[in-house]
Amino acid sequence: MDLLLEIAQQVINGLVIGGIYTLMALGMTMIFGILDQTNFAHGELYMLGAYAAFFFSMVLGIPYLVSVCLAILVGVLLGLMYEWLIFRPVRGKDPLNAVIASLGASIFIWNAALLVFGGAPREIPTPFLGEKVNLLGVSLNVQRLLALAVTIGIILALYWWIGKSRLGRAMRATAQNREVAALMGIKIGRVAELVFATGGALAALGGALVGPIFLLQPSMGLLAVGKAFIVVIVGGMGSVLGAIYTGFGLGVLESLTVGFLSSAYRDVISFAILILVLWVRPQGLFGRTGERGG
Amino acid sequence: MKTLPYRNLWKWVGTGLLLLIVPVLVRDPYYLHLINMSGLSILLAASLNLITGFLGELNLGHAAFYGVGAYASALLTMRLHLPFLLTLPVASLLAAFSGALIAYPCLRLKGPYFAIATFGYGEIVRLILHNWDTLTNGPLGLRGIPGPAGFINSKVEYYYFILTIVALSLLAIWRLLHSQLGRTFWAVRQDSVVLAEMIGINSTRVKVLAFMVAAYFAGVAGSLYAHYLRFISPDTFSFLESSTALAMVIVGGLGTFWGPVLGAILFTWLPELLRSVSEYRMIFYGLLLWGSITFLPQGISGFLESRIRKNCTTGVARDAHS
């Protein structure tokens, strides 16, 4: 019974982490699926989202939940900046140019953050961290539950939005064929702005939600982007559903590895899965060759 | 232009003589050290250029080969007490082997997939170096790696040794690029791989070979690094090192022969010029990488070349293409 409880505990922790991976991976997979560009600087959106929440709640004294909303706004603005400064200038060129440009941006941003925020780990205060609820013997931290609930809600909303709304349809049309979509009167620049704003908002939300659980560090984006890449590729680049399943799956797997094996193996196992999938099924678990977008 | 440009013989002799008297001109041991480090960077950048510049595949884990060479060479001398002159080629061959290991599974991947896979490999190698305590001494790294005692004792002697190795390596790369095999590197790039296959080129073989050659020279650089600095740790071979090597190639000039050499020298000396603002160093690197690919995709040497070409009516033959 104790073992079962331990497993349940680890699975829930894993779902929280997995939700954050999913939030990041969704933005990246949309950027890849719709615009054919790879964003290596996505982790910095997550990092800056966490620091934005820290700034609003800690420095300005705004309540935590309002700070999270403000952090999302910051994420939207940052996403737009990414589109204008990094990705639009290299659109239509060799796709590797976008990888290199965003890599440069990533190095620039996290080192600038190191200079501005300092290397010392920081903590976002939240009223929910200390509180625990007991569910069938499993003790659950309210902040983790909140993060999980918000993540799932947002993912469902996004899924509905891409599938049903007019804007979602424009995005999917662009993913299928950019030229024809443009001929049909879809403004590609607008779609790109929308995609990056959404990606920025999701990543910043992720950062603001885990900020209170883990410590904030300027380098936190680098590891997170590695994990999000694993999710995006294993799930199938451009596949929204694949990113959701794989994101939560990877989080649970990592959490179980830490709980029952050793934390040293956590990252090795994740990257080994990446290489294995690239080896036997390069299109990803949920991707079909030639398939793109949600 | 299959051979070296003999028509510029005097230029070559002049450059060679100048390089030979560098230790006489540079008395400051610290500057000599930086010159030696430039040599290692040149090897690293020139080898990465084989993959990213000529094969057209973005390699974000080049520091892994560098690390394999360094750790293999250090461990062979420390554990098995092999002499440096033996461990240098053996460690480089091991690095080449690791290159083949990475190249095979990644070959089916295209563009960004390939880049991310190499990023994953780089991380795996770093994590292994970090966690396999009994072999690599974990995050503390290896200290007191024996130098090639007996025949290289001072920085000046190191200078001549590194100069020789770098010159020989660059010559080998040059000859390779102008051989039949080297020309197939261009042929199997993404946009023309189908055509290459049609005329009977085995693109898989060519790509794996290119990877092995590149990993070999990165391994040479790693081995030299380990015995020259006598201390290595996993942090030296991190993603940051891979990105710095990439920045050397991109800013210098992707796919040109001398561009990465220029970039390597630039990025080894830049930190010195920026010493008063050293905390801005990586910020500046990131900015350079972004600015270069956005505004100057051909790099410095590509830019200079196009300026020269514009000025000369005859045009200047591009080194690497021929």
Side-chain angles (χ1 to χ4, degrees):
Chain A
M1 197 58 200
D2 273 358
L3 182 69
L4 225 61
L5 282 182
E6 171 81 22
I7 291 177
Q9 185 86 53
Q10 294 295 354
V11 166
I12 298 215
N13 286 350
L15 286 176
V16 176
I17 312 290
I20 305 306
Y21 291 164
T22 310
L23 282 181
M24 287 187 62
L26 278 175
M28 287 161 75
T29 213
M30 278 169 67
I31 292 168
F32 183 80
I34 295 167
L35 302 168
D36 250 337
Q37 292 186 306
T38 312
N39 184 9
F40 238 88
H42 211 76
E44 275 56 44
L45 293 169
Y46 164 77
M47 182 265 293
L48 288 174
Y51 272 97
F54 171 81
F55 176 78
F56 290 127
S57 61
M58 197 65 186
V59 180
L60 300 186
I62 297 170
Y64 173 67
L65 287 179
V66 182
S67 300
V68 172
C69 298
L70 289 173
I72 294 175
L73 264 181
V74 171
V76 168
L77 289 178
L78 287 169
L80 289 173
M81 303 274 279
Y82 270 41
E83 157 66 9
W84 293 327
L85 295 176
I86 306 171
F87 289 93
R88 188 168 291 178
V90 294
R91 190 160 296 143
K93 308 230 173 81
D94 189 328
L96 291 184
N97 287 17
V99 181
I100 296 166
S102 58
L103 181 66
S106 161
I107 295 171
F108 172 78
I109 295 170
W110 81 260
N111 283 287
L114 193 64
L115 204 68
V116 176
F117 307 133
R122 293 183 192 264
E123 210 176 336
I124 300 178
T126 151
F128 311 109
L129 194 58
E131 290 194 34
K132 299 211 170 189
V133 287
N134 227 318
L135 199 76
L136 299 170
V138 184
S139 154
L140 296 170
N141 183 315
V142 176
Q143 175 67 31
R144 283 178 194 257
L145 281 184
L146 176 81
L148 187 57
V150 172
T151 311
I152 292 176
I154 291 287
I155 290 171
L156 288 177
L158 184 80
Y159 198 70
W160 175 83
W161 182 58
I162 294 176
K164 292 285 180 331
S165 74
R166 232 180 115 77
L167 282 169
R169 211 179 308 156
M171 291 201 305
R172 281 181 294 137
T174 311
Q176 279 180 6
N177 192 321
R178 208 178 306 159
E179 282 76 28
V180 176
L183 285 175
M184 295 298 122
I186 294 171
K187 292 186 180 65
I188 304 299
R190 279 293 150 75
V191 170
E193 281 162 8
L194 193 66
V195 168
F196 273 98
T198 312
L202 293 175
L205 171 68
L209 285 178
V210 289
I213 305 174
F214 303 114
L215 295 173
L216 270 56
Q217 264 172 332
S219 59
M220 66 196 272
L222 198 64
L223 191 64
V225 84
K227 294 301 168 58
F229 265 127
I230 296 176
V231 172
V232 168
I233 287 193
V234 173
M237 244 170 161
S239 160
V240 168
L241 212 56
I244 296 172
Y245 287 134
T246 319
F248 283 108
L250 186 75
V252 171
L253 183 76
E254 282 195 358
S255 191
L256 289 175
T257 311
V258 173
F260 294 98
L261 217 58
S262 153
S263 60
Y265 290 111
R266 187 188 60 191
D267 298 342
V268 181
I269 285 185
S270 309
F271 281 108
I273 289 175
L274 169 73
I275 303 293
L276 193 72
V277 166
L278 282 174
W279 207 336
V280 290
R281 205 178 150 79
Q283 71 272 35
L285 298 180
F286 296 85
R288 266 179 280 132
T289 32
E291 185 202 73
R292 285 192 200 147
Chain B
M1 216 203 292
K2 268 191 171 180
T3 49
L4 285 174
Y6 290 114
R7 60 198 165 89
N8 290 331
L9 194 61
W10 286 111
K11 255 189 231 167
W12 287 99
V13 172
T15 314
L17 282 176
L18 197 68
L19 285 171
L20 282 178
I21 59 164
V22 158
V24 182
L25 299 176
V26 181
R27 289 288 182 183
D28 190 334
Y30 185 66
Y31 285 122
L32 199 58
H33 167 73
L34 280 179
I35 292 173
N36 288 345
M37 291 306 287
S38 313
L40 302 187
S41 299
I42 288 171
L43 279 179
L44 202 60
S47 59
L48 176 60
N49 189 38
L50 279 176
I51 299 173
T52 301
F54 291 97
L55 216 53
E57 301 281 8
L58 190 56
N59 179 6
L60 294 177
H62 203 58
F65 305 141
Y66 191 36
V68 169
Y71 267 88
S73 192
L75 288 171
L76 284 172
T77 44
M78 290 172 85
R79 299 281 161 90
L80 300 179
H81 307 292
L82 296 177
F84 168 66
L85 277 186
L86 186 63
T87 61
L88 174 65
V90 171
S92 310
L93 282 174
L94 281 172
F97 177 70
S98 76
L101 220 60
I102 293 176
Y104 262 115
C106 295
L107 277 173
R108 280 191 290 171
L109 311 172
K110 285 187 282 179
Y113 289 85
F114 183 90
I116 294 162
T118 53
F119 170 72
Y121 263 113
E123 282 299 290
I124 286 181
V125 168
R126 189 184 61 81
L127 288 166
I128 289 174
L129 295 178
H130 216 275
N131 290 315
W132 195 354
D133 285 354
T134 47
L135 186 73
T136 64
N137 202 22
L140 296 176
L142 296 170
R143 261 171 216 291
I145 301 163
F151 75 105
I152 304 175
N153 301 305
S154 65
K155 281 212 161 51
V156 175
E157 285 169 15
Y158 257 113
Y159 169 76
Y160 286 114
F161 187 70
I162 292 174
L163 178 67
T164 314
I165 298 276
V166 170
L168 286 177
S169 304
L170 285 182
L171 189 66
I173 291 174
W174 175 280
R175 295 296 302 223
L176 175 73
L177 287 174
H178 292 85
S179 69
Q180 184 91 33
L181 179 65
R183 257 168 282 163
T184 57
F185 287 1
W186 280 98
V188 299
R189 289 168 75 97
Q190 307 258 309
D191 38 4
S192 61
V193 66
V194 178
L195 289 172
E197 292 273 357
M198 273 174 71
I199 58 166
I201 295 170
N202 182 344
S203 70
T204 308
R205 209 178 120 248
V206 169
K207 284 184 180 179
V208 171
L209 261 170
F211 245 83
M212 289 179 75
V213 173
Y216 181 87
F217 286 112
V220 171
S223 172
L224 286 172
Y225 179 92
H227 294 276
Y228 176 54
L229 290 180
R230 312 223 165 149
F231 167 68
I232 49 175
S233 80
D235 294 336
T236 316
F237 310 106
S238 66
F239 178 59
L240 222 53
E241 185 65 33
S242 293
S243 354
T244 309
L246 187 69
M248 291 173 186
V249 175
I250 304 274
V251 174
L254 197 62
T256 62
F257 187 81
W258 294 109
V261 176
L262 194 73
I265 296 171
L266 185 72
F267 274 86
T268 317
W269 287 81
L270 207 57
E272 292 315 303
L273 300 177
L274 299 174
R275 201 195 274 171
S276 54
V277 285
S278 61
E279 63 267 46
Y280 294 98
R281 187 173 62 117
M282 288 313 292
I283 298 181
F284 196 63
Y285 279 16
L287 214 54
L288 265 181
L289 200 53
W290 167 77
S292 175
I293 201 71
T294 307
F295 303 111
L296 216 65
Q298 296 301 313
I300 296 174
S301 73
F303 174 71
L304 291 178
E305 219 168 76
S306 68
R307 291 297 294 269
I308 294 169
R309 203 173 286 173
K310 219 177 272 175
N311 292 339
C312 304
T313 41
T314 49
V316 177
R318 194 162 172 186
D319 275 342
H321 291 243
S322 78

